[in-house]
Amino acid sequence: SDDKIVKAEGASLQYVKPGEVTIRAAYKDNPKIYTEFKVKAFTAADPTSISLPKEVILYPDFAQTVPVEYTPYLSFHTISSAATADGTIAELAYYSGEGVRVNGRKPGSTTLSVTAGSKAKASAKVTVKSGKPKSSPYAEVKQGRLRGGLIRAGFEDLTKGYTCILGKEYTFTYGVEYKDGYDYQGEECQIKVDLSENLAATGLFDGSSAGTTGTTVGIFMTKAIKAGEATVEVVPGVKVKITVIDPSKVQRISMHRLYNPNSWEHFYTGNEKEKDALVKMGWKYEGVGWTAPSSSNTPVYRLYNPNNGGDHHYTMNKKEYDALIKAGWQGEGVRWYSDDKKAVPVYREYNPGAAIRNHNYTANKKEHDALTNKLGWKDEGIGWYGLK
């Protein structure tokens, strides 16, 4: 509305002088489709103060970004200078508009000083402790070649093992993740496990895998070439069971159904140990709900909602799975497979009168009809399929 205050060039806005204007952004093929918003333009004075944490804890060969806060106008300022009093204890790596990167060198204490503009100065005590920060190993196996960045599945997934399909390519990512934002800066590789070599030694995977290994992460692509099982060291001290399945020799897996009389939740699992553990905790075992194939082209995903007392949800719709993760659910990955021949439907029902634990899944047509025709449940069709 006033290009003497702010100039709009495409998707960019350029400051001219202080003031307030209205910006209209329209769809070029149809000017009737538009939105408007206000923009306030002003000259930002030098920050009057900046603040740092009172103390920064580091370790030898580990780095951390120290956040810097400005008063006022964080986004309009950059750090003018930063330094550590004793660079042999902790040295400055670099600084940006919002933080200072500091590397620990040897145990001891020093002072980090930061200046922004002509007025704002702050300092923080930097203590370098001996040893290393707490860490967790992580690993993930994804079918196909890597796309995008690393997705760290966390230590918990390492205990569950992995199932791969004969003839398929897989990307393995594995390593050590340090808590509280520490990054390892030393030369020694913290992984100390060549997972590519370990997998090749089982005879189940192609030994000519391609990949890279860094100080805290390894990543490589390999191919499953033989059906079988093996226990493999993934990261130091952590061994997991890895199974390669031949799709032409599909195994039958009994899918157990359990009920929690305290929370009214039904739970489904093909894992015998998980079933037995829940029964010991007071869940009621309701028998085998259906039989699933050990592998197929149609995975079924499981999710957990930590915000409503522990509800689980199951779906073979990857878009639904991803949408629920964005909504705050925890994705628990593939838990079983649907029969690609669609032999036995497993029906899905929704209870509109329940705020939580409002889905049921059953291969029993009589149960499905009773819930949807007599008890007010909504028929949501077929969730997935089991074997005959």
Side-chain angles (χ1 to χ4, degrees):
S1 60
D2 189 344
D3 61 5
K4 294 181 180 179
I5 294 175
V6 172
K7 288 184 178 180
E9 298 178 358
S12 299
L13 302 178
Q14 182 179 352
Y15 169 88
V16 179
K17 69 177 184 178
E20 189 171 300
V21 296
T22 298
I23 300 293
R24 171 179 285 198
Y27 182 51
K28 66 178 182 179
D29 293 334
N30 187 352
K32 293 182 179 180
I33 302 175
Y34 69 91
T35 185
E36 290 185 351
F37 56 95
K38 290 185 180 293
V39 173
K40 185 176 182 180
F42 55 90
T43 301
D46 282 348
T48 55
S49 67
I50 56 175
S51 60
L52 299 171
K54 292 182 179 180
E55 184 176 20
V56 179
I57 305 297
L58 294 173
Y59 297 85
D61 292 327
F62 284 87
Q64 193 177 53
T65 298
V66 181
V68 178
E69 295 183 4
Y70 298 79
T71 304
Y73 314 133
L74 165 65
S75 61
F76 285 88
H77 297 287
T78 59
I79 296 169
S80 303
S81 64
T84 55
D86 188 339
T88 64
I89 294 176
E91 68 174 359
L92 183 72
Y94 60 85
Y95 53 84
S96 59
E98 300 181 11
V100 179
R101 190 72 168 171
V102 184
N103 297 339
R105 285 292 170 249
K106 68 179 182 180
S109 294
T110 185
T111 301
L112 170 67
S113 59
V114 178
T115 301
S118 59
K119 303 175 183 178
K121 296 181 180 180
S123 62
K125 179 182 179 182
V126 179
T127 300
V128 180
K129 296 183 177 181
S130 59
K132 296 180 180 179
K134 292 181 179 180
S135 63
S136 295
Y138 67 87
E140 186 186 48
V141 180
K142 298 188 75 173
Q143 187 174 321
R145 294 189 173 272
L146 180 74
R147 292 181 177 88
L150 301 180
I151 301 176
R152 301 185 175 185
F155 174 78
E156 184 182 12
D157 285 353
L158 288 174
T159 65
K160 297 175 181 176
Y162 302 99
T163 299
C164 301
I165 299 174
L166 181 66
K168 299 289 186 179
E169 285 189 329
Y170 291 88
T171 296
F172 285 74
T173 63
Y174 63 105
V176 177
E177 187 170 41
Y178 293 95
K179 295 182 179 179
D180 299 322
Y182 291 104
D183 284 335
Y184 181 67
Q185 301 291 303
E187 296 179 357
E188 179 187 6
C189 177
Q190 290 296 292
I191 300 174
K192 297 182 181 177
V193 166
D194 189 336
L195 182 54
S196 174
E197 183 177 305
N198 290 353
L199 283 172
T202 67
L204 305 181
F205 293 87
D206 186 357
S208 59
S209 59
T212 59
T213 300
T215 55
T216 57
V217 62
I219 178 170
F220 68 94
M221 286 75 72
T222 188
K223 186 176 183 179
I225 59 174
K226 181 181 178 182
E229 295 181 351
T231 300
V232 180
E233 187 176 25
V234 180
V235 290
V238 179
K239 295 182 178 180
V240 299
K241 179 182 176 181
I242 297 182
T243 304
V244 177
I245 294 176
D246 185 346
S248 65
K249 300 176 181 178
V250 174
Q251 299 175 344
R252 299 173 66 86
I253 297 177
S254 296
M255 296 302 305
H256 305 288
R257 172 169 157 162
L258 301 103
Y259 174 70
N260 189 332
N262 298 312
S263 65
W264 311 299
E265 180 188 8
H266 277 99
F267 185 78
Y268 313 87
T269 179
N271 187 313
E272 292 282 347
K273 291 183 179 179
E274 186 173 35
K275 180 259 291 183
D276 293 341
L278 289 175
V279 170
K280 288 182 180 179
M281 293 171 60
W283 288 66
K284 181 181 177 182
Y285 180 53
E286 295 188 333
V288 175
W290 71 94
T291 302
S294 57
S295 66
S296 75
N297 293 317
T298 315
V300 180
Y301 304 93
R302 186 170 95 185
L303 300 108
Y304 173 74
N305 190 343
N307 300 316
N308 68 352
D311 192 14
H312 286 87
H313 187 67
Y314 314 85
T315 179
M316 63 179 180
N317 186 324
K318 188 62 164 58
K319 290 183 178 180
E320 181 183 25
Y321 178 75
D322 293 338
L324 286 174
I325 290 176
K326 289 182 180 179
W329 291 64
Q330 293 178 1
E332 295 188 335
V334 177
R335 290 301 167 176
W336 59 82
Y337 290 87
S338 176
D339 177 27
D340 289 337
K341 295 181 180 179
K342 301 182 178 181
V344 177
V346 178
Y347 303 99
R348 169 171 155 172
E349 304 94 14
Y350 171 72
N351 186 350
I356 59 175
R357 304 176 187 92
N358 46 23
H359 280 92
N360 185 65
Y361 308 85
T362 180
N364 187 322
K365 188 65 164 59
K366 291 183 178 179
E367 180 185 8
H368 172 71
D369 291 341
L371 289 173
T372 56
N373 296 335
K374 298 178 181 179
L375 298 178
W377 290 64
K378 182 180 178 182
D379 183 354
E380 292 195 331
I382 296 171
W384 53 83
Y385 295 87
L387 296 170
K388 273 190 178 181

